[in-house]
Amino acid sequence: MKDALKLAGGLLVIIVFYMVGRLINSYLLPLVPGSIIGMLLLFTVLMIFGEKLSQWLQDGAKLLIKYLPLFFVPVTVGIIQYDNLVSLFGLFFFSLMMASSFIVLVLLSSLLERTAGKKEKSVSWD
Amino acid sequence: MGLIVTLIVFGAAQFVYLKLKHSFLLPVFTATVVIIGLIFLTGTTYEAYYASARWIDWFLGPAVVALSLPLYKYRKMLFLNRKTIVSWVFFGAVIGIVSGAIVLWVFSIHESFVISALLKNTTTPVAIDIAAIYGGIPPLTAVICTMSGMLGAIVGPAVYRRFQVNSDIAKGVAMGAAGHAIGTARLMEDNDYAGAVSTISFLLMTVLMTVLTPVVVFLLY
């Protein structure tokens, strides 16, 4: 019961931060998306109120992050609006995009591993 | 209807993925394929599907806000490694621009496609907005963004094994720079800290591309 309450409360607080972010986006900062504003706001508040609040929000945040990929599904299905991309150009375009992202992933991970990864800085946990 | 179908299909996809634990069965990928199949089979349109499924989109916002928790949890480690993270994400942005947008430009592809291509490694909800502002094609941008994210999530673990990438910072920066939020969510399944590095990296990448996109477009056209 306590867990369920904590989960619901956490979700609610995160959603409120998102709504505030959206408000700031529409009235003050049209170039920064509401979700990013909400995230920075929540991060700032966490820096002020510290560990306690973060413990309290943990469950709600975990749930949202776990299902993050689900929230992308409706947009991705939108690919079917581009039946004109089922063409030679479409094939070229999408293959190039995927190849480019693949190159970023491979080059960054392998080069970073072999240079900076070795001297990664870490702190002891308190 | 679209809402319920999406939830059921994703739930099933998640179940299969957890049973078989194969990267190619990434739920967002299999669920998307199945739903596209269902739309064609039943002869509905995307508009009809999206009319109710768009409620799911809405949760992207709170999910992005929720990412501030892992950022907070690992703030000290992230701060210590800030120089490495920032410089390598910048390097990643350059690789992405040269291998994607510049190639399109060389083939004299229309400006709107080049702008969409520039945004492919930024997180989808942000990319859609920026594409609209700078003259890209928002729905196309959304699709290549999610495809990049899925690519990172699907092949990432295999790439890391193949190239013996073991440090969390290398895994996180590369995944964040290439696969933004979807890749980050995959990384968080088995590694919290790499996921936090990935979160800060995709945020940096998004900020960087927001600034660089108009510059690159100005230089090219």
Side-chain angles (χ1 to χ4, degrees):
Chain A
M1 184 59 204
K2 203 180 158 221
D3 285 349
L5 218 65
K6 192 177 148 200
L7 178 69
L11 281 175
L12 195 71
V13 171
I14 291 168
I15 288 172
V16 166
F17 271 91
Y18 173 56
M19 303 299 272
V20 173
R22 290 257 305 238
L23 275 176
I24 296 179
N25 163 261
S26 51
Y27 290 107
L28 294 169
L29 289 166
L31 280 178
V32 187
S35 55
I36 303 287
I37 300 174
M39 177 196 213
L40 296 174
L41 270 180
L42 180 55
F43 185 77
T44 313
V45 171
L46 281 169
M47 290 302 276
I48 299 167
F49 289 94
E51 214 56 46
K52 252 222 166 91
L53 182 66
S54 108
Q55 293 294 325
W56 203 72
L57 296 178
Q58 200 94 87
D59 294 355
K62 278 220 170 92
L63 187 78
L64 284 169
I65 294 170
K66 186 180 171 203
Y67 286 103
L68 184 69
L70 161 69
F71 310 142
F72 281 101
V73 171
V75 187
T76 317
V77 173
I79 192 173
I80 58 172
Q81 291 166 295
Y82 291 92
D83 43 5
N84 61 332
L85 282 174
V86 187
S87 62
L88 221 53
F89 170 68
L91 191 69
F92 166 72
F93 182 72
F94 281 112
S95 317
L96 179 71
M97 291 303 101
M98 291 309 105
S100 169
S101 294
F102 185 72
I103 291 168
V104 172
L105 182 76
V106 172
L107 275 185
L108 270 196
S109 62
S110 52
L111 291 178
L112 215 169
E113 172 73 22
R114 266 137 206 94
T115 57
K118 294 270 188 293
K119 46 176 195 210
E120 178 179 354
K121 293 171 184 149
S122 56
V123 288
S124 55
W125 303 104
D126 46 333
Chain B
M1 200 52 204
L3 175 75
I4 299 160
V5 168
T6 308
L7 292 178
I8 293 172
V9 171
F10 189 86
Q14 181 99 334
F15 178 77
V16 173
Y17 174 69
L18 291 176
K19 270 261 137 80
L20 302 173
K21 262 291 170 193
H22 194 290
S23 279
F24 276 93
L25 293 173
L26 191 76
V28 57
F29 175 64
T30 48
T32 302
V33 173
V34 169
I35 291 168
I36 289 176
L38 286 175
I39 289 177
F40 278 123
L41 280 178
T42 54
T44 29
T45 60
Y46 178 67
E47 286 75 18
Y49 161 78
Y50 190 70
S52 85
R54 73 195 160 89
W55 295 106
I56 297 173
D57 279 17
W58 189 86
F59 281 94
L60 267 176
V64 170
V65 174
L67 286 168
S68 59
L69 271 108
L71 281 186
Y72 172 75
K73 188 174 171 194
Y74 295 106
R75 64 195 181 282
K76 286 177 192 158
M77 302 265 278
L78 295 173
F79 188 73
L80 277 173
N81 290 292
R82 63 193 181 281
K83 279 184 194 149
T84 313
I85 296 174
V86 172
S87 49
W88 283 87
V89 170
F90 185 80
F91 178 52
V94 173
I95 304 172
I97 292 171
V98 173
S99 62
I102 302 286
V103 176
L104 288 179
W105 177 76
V106 168
F107 282 92
S108 28
I109 306 294
H110 191 269
E111 196 180 334
S112 58
F113 283 93
V114 176
I115 294 170
S116 305
L118 280 168
L119 297 166
K120 74 179 187 313
N121 302 111
T122 60
T123 185
T124 316
V126 180
I128 297 171
D129 293 349
I130 302 173
I133 296 167
Y134 294 148
I137 311 165
L140 179 69
T141 308
V143 170
I144 50 175
C145 283
T146 36
M147 281 174 72
S148 284
M150 290 197 278
L151 180 92
I154 291 172
V155 306
V159 166
Y160 295 164
R161 268 197 305 277
R162 171 74 183 73
F163 292 92
Q164 287 154 16
V165 177
N166 300 312
S167 74
D168 293 337
I169 196 150
K171 285 180 180 171
V173 168
M175 187 62 91
H180 51 91
I182 301 179
T184 300
R186 172 67 185 85
L187 218 47
M188 275 191 180
E189 277 179 29
D190 26 53
N191 189 336
D192 240 15
Y193 174 56
V197 175
S198 185
T199 303
I200 196 78
S201 302
F202 93 68
L203 285 175
L204 278 171
M205 187 70 165
T206 303
V207 171
L208 221 76
M209 292 318 297
T210 309
V211 178
L212 286 180
T213 298
V215 177
V216 175
V217 171
F218 176 78
L219 290 175
L220 294 180
Y221 293 93

